[in-house]
Amino acid sequence: MKRSTLNVTFAIGFLAVAMGILVARANPATTYESSVYMATPAVVWVGFALALAIAVSTALTCRGREQGYGVALGATTVTAIVSLPAIRNYRFSGMGDALSHLGWTRDIVNGEMGPHELFYPGFHAIASVLYHVGGIPIERGLMLTVAIVFVPFLVFIPLVVREIAGDGMAIGIAAIVSWMVLPINNIATHMGIHTNSNALFLVPVVVFAFVAYLNRRATIERLPFGLSPFSLLIYLTGIGLLLVHPQQMINVVVLLGAISVAQYLARTRYDDHPMLDHPTTYAHTAVLGIIFSVWAVSNERFRNAAEGLIAGIFEEDVGGGAEVDQRESSLEEVGGSLGELFVTMFLDLAVVSLIVGLFILLVWLGRSTVDSETKSFVNYLSIALIPLTGMFVLYFVGTPTMAFRQIGFIAVILTILAGVALARAIGALSNVITVPAGTAVAALLLGACLILGLMTVYASPIIYSPSQHVTDHQFSGYESALEYGDEDTPLVGYGTDPYRYDHAINGVEGEENLGAATTASGSVEPDEFESGNYSGAYNGVGYNFVVTEYDTTRELDVYQELHHSEAALEAIEYDDDADKIISNDEFRMYDVSGEQ
């Protein structure tokens, strides 16, 4: 393609992204949205789709500067998609942990606590800086921080693959696979304010630091204490990851430990091997391991999590098997199936895992055509997958949530390896047909996977999980409930415990009102509530019952009245024991008398 034609093509792509962002910005959310996909105007998706089509084709067919433009176009588009809650002016996005993170950030901003008092303050510190320096509201600052932390994932995945393989096709494919955002599974990793998930997007930065260290072999420009600039980069990126979330730091230490073991075995078994030319990672593994240990063991929250994992391993009916059985039963009751959900959420990852697995097998059998240097890096990462997968099995038995977080980290490594593996697969296919035909097949396959990946990057009813959009009405409703409600009266939710809103509004340090969800807050007991016994639906005591548009969407539309019915919710309006005391378009609170 002529350069002038390429320039026009790139201009069209970037213009399409810009127009999509402007249209999305001009159509802000005005009410609760159960799906950001459905609520965003169709013309926005047309613009993004056009930009991604150009990005995929140019990333595969162009080289050098032009390929860089294609990769930048795709990364910009995906970043825009990830930033839609902020672009469309959501008040906040995220419930559960996200609301507690909002509370911690509020505590830091208000001086109730210092960043160093948090176990992992990195994410909150960025949002606090945006507040103090830019005057950006805390809620919006956190949503912007999601995008800030996400960008390194899109930048460093292709950079790592360039260091490993140096092949233009591999770089382009790695970039496209990174746009699928495979680490997000919406079970335990989420696109939003969820620091464990956010930390996954910084892992490629640490991996790049190690690959650069192994490749550069710097012997000059030494820093004090014999450090090379690349060693210092390893420590700095590792500590940065620790400050965002320590669980991913554990995985990095395991990754480095596996590399160290591979290097040791190579040095004891071979006299001539590419790994022998690489500087060792023993010291880096030890230093980062010590840093993590000192940081984690001194924290009570980490100790409690470790104890919970050990207890879960040895207890019956705890672990992934029980969790899967429970989810499968619930899905069947609402007309879904585990197989359907797996295809929607994990087909991309399954396809990539299969291709990468076959590629690793060929490398280990000596049937691959990759050069010895690339093979060494592939071996480093593939050997590391063994203990990382072992950790997944351990988590799956003990704490299923941690297991799916572990899948997120493994997905980062698979994304890197996918660039090399798919490039070799396309090269082999091109030898059978033709290069243009092989590239076209790759574009179609990757394009289809990209669509599926981006369809599930956010929670939505398509995966039986409504958007965690927090509106102005919901926020103001809870603010009124917490300010004017009786402190001695429990605040009780419809299917969920509302105590997280106390964190978000008053800060976690002021959590004494609703606290740890004991007698101060909770959710109504479904059987009693559905039978019309509202006064006995929460331990027989009087309570303030709150219900939001999010609650009704989840329970009535998405869950199809699996636990709660619309009839029972409507009947509380006319019950003698319930009085509506707060109401707006998306929030209601009732004062319900107790039996006692």
Side-chain angles (χ1 to χ4, degrees), residues 319-338:
E323 183 79 7
V324 169
D325 291 342
Q326 180 182 354
R327 295 291 179 92
E328 184 175 19
S329 175
S330 298
L331 279 170
E332 290 174 351
E333 291 189 52
V334 298
S337 71
L338 202 58

Side-chain angles (χ1 to χ4, degrees), residues 185-488:
N185 54 49
N186 279 301
I187 295 177
T189 57
H190 308 276
M191 181 54 70
I193 302 155
H194 187 250
T195 53
N196 193 295
S197 306
N198 304 133
L200 290 170
F201 301 130
L202 298 178
V203 171
V205 184
V206 187
V207 175
F208 176 80
F210 274 96
V211 173
Y213 165 75
L214 295 173
N215 264 344
R216 298 298 195 281
R217 306 174 179 85
T219 57
I220 58 175
E221 298 181 5
R222 289 280 178 180
L223 299 174
F225 307 107
L227 286 173
S228 75
F230 305 112
S231 290
L232 183 61
L233 183 62
I234 291 170
Y235 296 133
L236 290 177
T237 55
I239 292 172
L241 181 64
L242 174 67
L243 293 177
V244 176
H245 202 284
Q247 182 181 351
Q248 306 311 337
M249 177 66 159
I250 299 175
N251 289 322
V252 165
V253 172
V254 171
L255 173 67
L256 296 183
I259 294 173
S260 297
V261 170
Q263 290 181 328
Y264 175 78
L265 293 176
R267 280 165 168 74
T268 57
R269 291 174 177 267
Y270 302 104
D271 295 324
D272 183 21
H273 192 280
M275 288 185 184
L276 302 183
D277 297 327
H278 294 160
T280 62
T281 58
Y282 307 151
H284 306 88
T285 304
V287 170
L288 290 182
I290 291 171
I291 291 173
F292 167 78
S293 299
V294 172
W295 184 272
V297 173
S298 61
N299 186 273
E300 182 180 0
R301 185 173 181 179
F302 173 81
R303 294 195 300 269
N304 292 338
E307 291 172 1
L309 170 63
I310 295 171
I313 292 173
F314 294 101
E315 289 182 9
E316 295 183 2
D317 298 326
V318 175
E323 183 79 7
V324 169
D325 291 342
Q326 180 182 354
R327 295 291 179 92
E328 184 175 19
S329 175
S330 298
L331 279 170
E332 290 174 351
E333 291 189 52
V334 298
S337 71
L338 202 58
E340 169 200 340
L341 199 61
F342 175 84
V343 169
T344 306
M345 298 172 65
F346 290 103
L347 182 60
D348 275 4
L349 184 58
V351 170
V352 168
S353 300
L354 178 62
I355 294 173
V356 170
L358 291 173
F359 173 68
I360 292 172
L361 181 61
L362 291 175
V363 170
W364 286 358
L365 294 177
R367 302 294 298 274
S368 171
T369 58
V370 296
D371 60 81
S372 59
E373 185 73 7
T374 301
K375 187 180 295 184
S376 295
F377 284 103
V378 170
N379 282 329
Y380 284 145
L381 295 177
S382 56
I383 290 171
L385 287 174
I386 297 174
L388 290 171
T389 304
M391 292 173 65
F392 161 75
V393 174
L394 191 65
Y395 287 143
F396 191 79
V397 174
T399 54
T401 299
M402 299 285 278
F404 284 97
R405 290 181 179 180
Q406 186 70 8
I407 289 178
F409 186 90
I410 292 173
V412 175
I413 306 302
L414 291 175
T415 300
I416 295 170
L417 289 172
V420 184
L422 282 167
R424 295 298 166 180
I426 293 169
L429 180 63
S430 298
N431 291 333
V432 175
I433 45 179
T434 63
V435 173
T439 304
V441 170
L444 290 174
L445 173 63
L446 291 171
C449 290
L450 180 57
I451 292 171
L452 184 59
L454 292 176
M455 278 176 55
T456 56
V457 74
Y458 273 113
S460 70
I462 195 175
I463 57 172
Y464 301 96
S465 179
S467 164
Q468 296 190 354
H469 173 201
V470 181
T471 66
D472 286 327
H473 283 118
Q474 291 175 17
F475 233 97
S476 64
Y478 274 109
E479 284 176 332
S480 298
L482 292 168
E483 182 176 357
Y484 301 112
D486 186 350
E487 292 184 3
D488 297 325

